[in-house]
Amino acid sequence: MLGYHSADEIRAAEAATGDLLASGVLMRRAAAGLAGVVAAELRARRGAVYGSRVGLVVGAGDNGGDALFAGANLRARGVAVTAVLLAPDRAHAAGLAAFRRAGGRVVDALGHDLDLVVDGVVGLGGSGPLRPAAAAVFEHVRAPVVAVDIPSGVDADTGVVHDPSVHAAVTVTFGARRRAHILAADQCGRVECVDIGIDVPGARMVALDDHDVATNWPVPGPADDKYSQGVTGIIAGSDRFPGAAMLCTGAAVAATSGMVRYVGTAAGDILSRHPEVVAAPDLDSAGRVQAWVIGPGAGTDDDAADKVHSILATDLPVLVDADGLTVLAAHLDWVQQREAPTLLTPHAGEFARLAGAPVGSDRVTAVTDLATRLGATVLLKGRITVVADGAGPVLVNDAGASWAATAGAGDVLSGLAGALLAAGLTARVAAASAARVHAHAAILAARGDDDTSAGAPIGASDLLAAIRPAIREMRSVA
Ligand SMILES: NC(=O)C1=CN([C@@H]2O[C@H](COP(=O)(O)OP(=O)(O)OC[C@H]3O[C@@H](n4cnc5c(N)ncnc54)[C@H](O)[C@@H]3O)[C@@H](O)[C@H]2O)[C@@H](O)CC1
Ligand SMILES: Nc1ncnc2c1ncn2[C@@H]1O[C@H](COP(=O)(O)OP(=O)(O)O)[C@@H](O)[C@H]1O
Ligand SMILES: [K+]
């Protein structure tokens, strides 16, 4: 599990070091770590550090100070280092002196023959987009960028990527990861965290890793039978959308052992593809389950609404998705009154219906607020999945690729997460674990049989077929 911290948490941890901060020791450590990563990057990209060319873009604060001290360190390793100072009068004085002493050159514009560019414009102190002077410099940069702390123009806490902003190949951070490092993962590139000897508190934002997912994933034990592992109930599909029921039910079958029950009009299609599913025409004859998934392709008419109401009136864990969420938007009290766990899995449009306003740029706060208001766990879909229950740390998952942005992929996700709920995982862990396996399955499906493949577009059926391989791969690391 990796933690991600807010700018305030980092600043407090730095301040708590007292002298180390005031004397500049923290900055020297940060700069030494930064120079080490830049050197390793040069070695990897061109085979040698000595004789390579690095450009620094230096802002007015300590972020620029890090870059200048690192520049001095790189000079000592035989790197030709030039620096553009965006605010020459306010550049970090000690850093600039060290840089000059080491033979670094201050220039008006970066050369075109650089091996790497270091973005030391702004870090935690930044706000808004890159300002025009900085943007003008980066407009001509073709070399890969190593960002100091955070790519400039990216908000440290919300991960909002302003325009313009820096797109980094590598981001080097200090002491602990910032929230932007996962919320704007694509903009940050590879993130390297350098130890500078600060103590950060437990993170309020975390990401499960493959090992966490694998150890939580329910698999049958010696004493298990088909009932003991939790039976998943699925209410999905309609005459218009039978496919949603197939995808959702198929995902639940693939996710866990035990049993999946299905209620709805797509029973014929489902049984022909998944004969292990136990289907029933209505709720009364459905049999017992340990968690329900309701909504994918299920329609929004009165009958569909009645079903959502009845299911939410049970004391079982319930996952509501898709059409179920549209129904729910007019009856939020059905969720607010519940004692049992409720997991809602909206995409941005469904989120806006539930919350009464668009997600906005601060996705984490928006999801946390809705979860708190409803007393439910909310999973907001997208490249970066955000899961909040208003109580514990927010769980975030970076899909790492966007192949899952395809119709029906959400139905697969709800089947997966619902099966984990039925197996007894908490709503937050079920949601985050499902998101991670779903994302990995999308990558495997896009890659096909060829490990080296750059990938090709997939449909949700391909994603479904890759669920088991994804679980296998994750379990093999645990
Ligand atoms: N405090 C410490 O001891 C340490 C701080 N460190 C570095 O210090 C950074 C924080 O330094 P500061 O608090 O001085 O702040 P920054 O250097 O991040 O930014 C402050 C400066 O950037 C300007 N600025 C703000 N937004 C801008 C934008 N969008 N475009 C262009 N310029 C903009 C501001 O006017 C201000 O002059 C961290 O991110 C980290 O890189 C590290 O050296 C680790 C130790
Ligand atoms: N840009 C993206 N990158 C990665 N995954 C994405 C992206 N956009 C959407 N997804 C994922 O794909 C699925 C889409 O779900 P959804 O929008 O509900 O589609 P549908 O209702 O057609 O199934 C979700 O699991 C979501 O997290
Ligand atoms: K930066």
Side-chain angles (χ1 to χ4, degrees), residues 344-362:
L344 310 178
T345 56
H347 57 51
E350 289 151 357
F351 184 97
R353 267 171 237 151
L354 288 171
V359 179
S361 54
D362 189 348

Side-chain angles (χ1 to χ4, degrees), residues 410-467:
D411 309 328
V412 174
L413 181 73
S414 56
L416 266 176
L420 296 179
L421 273 185
L425 270 61
T426 61
R428 49 190 283 103
V429 173
S433 303
R436 192 158 182 85
V437 162
H438 183 272
H440 190 53
I443 289 172
L444 292 183
R447 198 189 283 159
D449 293 331
D450 176 4
D451 255 6
T452 60
S453 146
I458 57 169
S461 305
D462 305 307
L463 202 168
L464 172 57
I467 294 289

Side-chain angles (χ1 to χ4, degrees), residues 347 381-383 385 399 401-402 404-411 413 438:
H347 57 51
K381 295 188 252 199
R383 168 68 174 258
T385 297
S402 291
T406 182
D411 309 328
L413 181 73
H438 183 272

Side-chain angles (χ1 to χ4, degrees), residues 74-415:
L74 289 164
R75 276 297 302 134
R77 302 185 195 202
V79 180
V81 191
T82 49
V84 171
L85 307 181
L86 295 171
D89 303 342
R90 292 188 292 139
H92 193 276
L96 184 55
F99 178 67
R100 288 193 199 275
R101 265 198 315 276
R105 281 194 307 123
V106 173
V107 293
D108 292 330
L110 292 181
H112 296 291
D113 55 353
L114 299 172
D115 297 305
L116 278 180
V117 167
V118 174
D119 160 24
V121 179
V122 276
L124 293 183
S127 59
L130 270 189
R131 295 186 190 151
V137 175
F138 277 99
E139 208 175 307
H140 302 289
V141 168
R142 298 290 170 268
V145 175
V146 176
V148 184
D149 208 2
I150 292 165
S152 302
V154 175
D155 189 272
D157 283 345
T158 63
V160 168
V161 176
H162 295 287
D163 186 21
S165 57
V166 172
H167 193 285
V170 183
T171 295
V172 185
T173 193
F174 314 113
R177 285 160 201 261
R178 285 61 167 141
R179 293 181 165 204
H181 293 147
I182 186 154
L183 296 174
D186 187 57
Q187 200 78 10
C188 296
R190 192 179 86 242
V191 176
E192 298 265 356
C193 186
V194 172
D195 182 14
I196 56 168
I198 61 172
D199 280 328
V200 288
R204 303 284 305 145
M205 179 186 290
V206 297
L208 299 185
D209 59 24
D210 291 352
H211 185 268
D212 301 321
V213 173
T215 43
N216 290 328
W217 205 270
V219 292
D224 273 317
D225 61 36
K226 65 188 174 188
Y227 296 119
S228 63
Q229 304 166 68
V231 177
T232 315
I234 310 267
I235 302 167
S238 52
D239 291 338
R240 194 156 165 241
F241 299 116
M246 302 274 282
L247 292 163
C248 182
T249 310
V253 169
T256 58
S257 309
M259 185 191 288
V260 178
R261 299 188 188 275
Y262 171 76
V263 179
T265 54
D269 288 339
I270 288 177
L271 289 175
S272 67
R273 183 79 68 87
H274 305 289
E276 56 274 77
V277 172
V278 178
D282 50 46
L283 281 179
D284 291 338
S285 56
R288 284 184 55 205
V289 303
Q290 273 63 53
W292 284 106
V293 175
I294 185 160
T300 55
D301 59 15
D302 288 349
D303 180 49
D306 284 347
K307 284 207 179 74
V308 173
H309 194 190
S310 311
I311 289 297
L312 287 172
T314 67
D315 57 3
L316 293 169
V318 175
L319 185 159
V320 188
D321 185 33
D323 286 343
L325 294 171
T326 301
V327 167
L328 198 59
H331 304 281
L332 296 180
D333 55 311
W334 293 353
V335 170
Q336 285 162 327
Q337 287 161 2
R338 300 198 87 223
E339 302 281 341
T342 314
L343 172 57
L344 310 178
T345 56
H347 57 51
E350 289 151 357
F351 184 97
R353 267 171 237 151
L354 288 171
V359 179
S361 54
D362 189 348
R363 296 172 84 238
V364 171
T365 301
V367 177
T368 304
D369 288 350
L370 182 64
T372 305
R373 184 145 69 89
L374 298 184
T377 302
V378 178
L379 175 157
L380 176 62
K381 295 188 252 199
R383 168 68 174 258
I384 306 293
T385 297
V386 176
V387 179
D389 62 8
V394 175
L395 287 157
V396 180
N397 189 62
D398 168 24
S402 291
W403 300 114
T406 182
D411 309 328
V412 174
L413 181 73
S414 56

Side-chain angles (χ1 to χ4, degrees), residues 11 14 21 27 60-63 66 122-127 129 131 149:
R11 288 206 189 274
E14 287 172 352
L21 174 62
M27 185 180 281
D62 284 358
N63 196 251
D66 292 345
V122 276
L124 293 183
S127 59
R131 295 186 190 151
D149 208 2

